[in-house]
Amino acid sequence: MGSGSERVLPRVRGLRGRPWTDYALFVVLVAPNLVLLGLFVYRPLLDNIRLSFTDRSLSGAPAHYIGLGNYREWLGRADSWQIVTNTVVFTLGAVVGSLVLGLALALLLDRKLFGRNVVRSAVFAPFVISGAAVGVAFQFLFDPGFGLVRDVLHRLGVSNVPDFYQNSHWALCMVTVTYVWKNLGYTVVVYLAALRSVPRDLLEAARIDGAGHWATCSRVLLPQLRPTTFFLSITVLLNSLRVFDLVHVTTRGGPVGTGTTTLSYQVYLESFRNFRAGYGAAVATLMFVVLLIVTLIQVRVMERGER
């Protein structure tokens, strides 16, 4: 090499031949997130699991280690299985209702219709409103004395209008309907974004081959939307299992006994009404285990579907 040429120093290589600077940048970018997750997610989770093995009370009494006592009590209580049934019915209704109605509205609003942007905004608006406000509004809407639904039913000839939220046969259904209405905008917006990414040539090819609207949706569109449906099924499922404000405002877990009490609301009742923090932590731990198992099953099913 000439005297004027510069020597190029070799870059220091780390694992798998990548430069150590890449690993240093990775640590700098990821470390703050890991620290925050550890402090505000995983540490409270471990503390909750530890608390579930005690008889900790919010009344100030000293806590004692009782092993699996809280879990045995939960399995032996008669209302536990009623609460599990409420949770399953509410969650399935929320997931299926949100996905089906969300996809139907997304397909409708994806067309070139007059005023569709205004309708999109109106559909999404309830999602940003608090669950407590939505619950109060629906109670006024379905009030048997002066609600709008009562007036419509009276005009149709129905005189005996039940108090939907305080009727044991209607309460759980009404809570589910209210939750689906509040969160419908979320699924619609996500589906609308997914529909924009579907290749138009696939839809045109299906129409040229003579496929009808239903065949195009079921055999072309739905397979293309499978990742989005999987994502929405997980997020809606997780959010529905954590619902508290809507149940608290509308029925407070009733109207009779535990008619609309879900696992998340039971955590509140046991911890802050009955002051049994240890028992409430056990219920929360059971919820975490169920969520973990359901999520793993969904991921496994999705991986098989992609293969």
Side-chain angles (χ1 to χ4, degrees), residues 5 15 70 72 99 118 122 127 144 150 161 197 223 239 246 304:
S5 61
L15 298 175
N70 289 323
R72 286 194 295 266
L99 294 183
V118 177
F127 179 68
R150 169 192 173 277
V161 180
S197 64
N239 291 331
L246 194 60
R304 288 183 178 180

Side-chain angles (χ1 to χ4, degrees), residues 206-228:
R207 294 190 185 99
I208 293 174
D209 290 339
H213 183 71
W214 173 251
T216 302
C217 288
S218 60
R219 299 192 177 185
V220 178
L221 197 57
L222 290 181
Q224 294 292 321
L225 296 177
R226 183 180 295 144
T228 303

Side-chain angles (χ1 to χ4, degrees), residues 34-79:
L34 293 179
V35 171
L36 293 175
L37 284 174
L39 289 176
F40 298 106
V41 177
Y42 298 115
R43 183 177 178 273
L45 175 63
L46 295 176
D47 286 342
N48 181 83
I49 295 175
R50 176 187 57 81
L51 191 65
S52 68
F53 296 106
T54 67
D55 60 351
R56 176 67 181 273
S57 174
L58 295 183
S59 61
H64 303 90
Y65 177 78
I66 59 174
L68 299 175
N70 289 323
Y71 297 96
R72 286 194 295 266
E73 180 183 349
W74 186 86
L75 291 173
R77 284 176 52 166
D79 61 346

Side-chain angles (χ1 to χ4, degrees), residues 125-202:
F127 179 68
V128 299
I129 303 176
S130 69
V134 172
V136 172
F138 264 70
Q139 280 187 307
F140 279 106
L141 185 66
F142 285 89
D143 189 276
F146 53 83
L148 177 63
V149 174
R150 169 192 173 277
D151 182 66
V152 173
L153 292 178
H154 275 203
R155 293 177 185 273
L156 295 176
V158 180
S159 58
N160 187 16
V161 180
D163 190 349
F164 292 96
Y165 285 98
Q166 299 304 318
N167 187 296
S168 58
H169 300 290
W170 284 95
L172 185 58
C173 176
M174 291 305 305
V175 173
T176 306
V177 169
T178 307
Y179 179 81
V180 171
W181 182 86
K182 179 190 181 303
N183 292 273
L184 187 60
Y186 168 70
T187 57
V188 170
V189 168
V190 176
Y191 269 131
L192 279 173
L195 287 172
R196 292 299 181 91
S197 64
V198 175
R200 297 299 172 181
D201 54 349
L202 290 178

Side-chain angles (χ1 to χ4, degrees), residues 221-232 301-302 305-306:
L221 197 57
L222 290 181
Q224 294 292 321
L225 296 177
R226 183 180 295 144
T228 303
T229 302
F230 169 70
F231 167 77
L232 286 174
V301 171
M302 186 61 186
E306 291 179 351

Side-chain angles (χ1 to χ4, degrees), residues 96-117:
V96 174
S98 298
L99 294 183
V100 172
L101 294 178
L103 179 58
L105 278 175
L107 290 173
L108 178 62
L109 296 177
D110 191 50
R111 299 183 176 185
K112 294 182 180 180
L113 301 174
F114 175 76
R116 66 175 182 176
N117 292 330

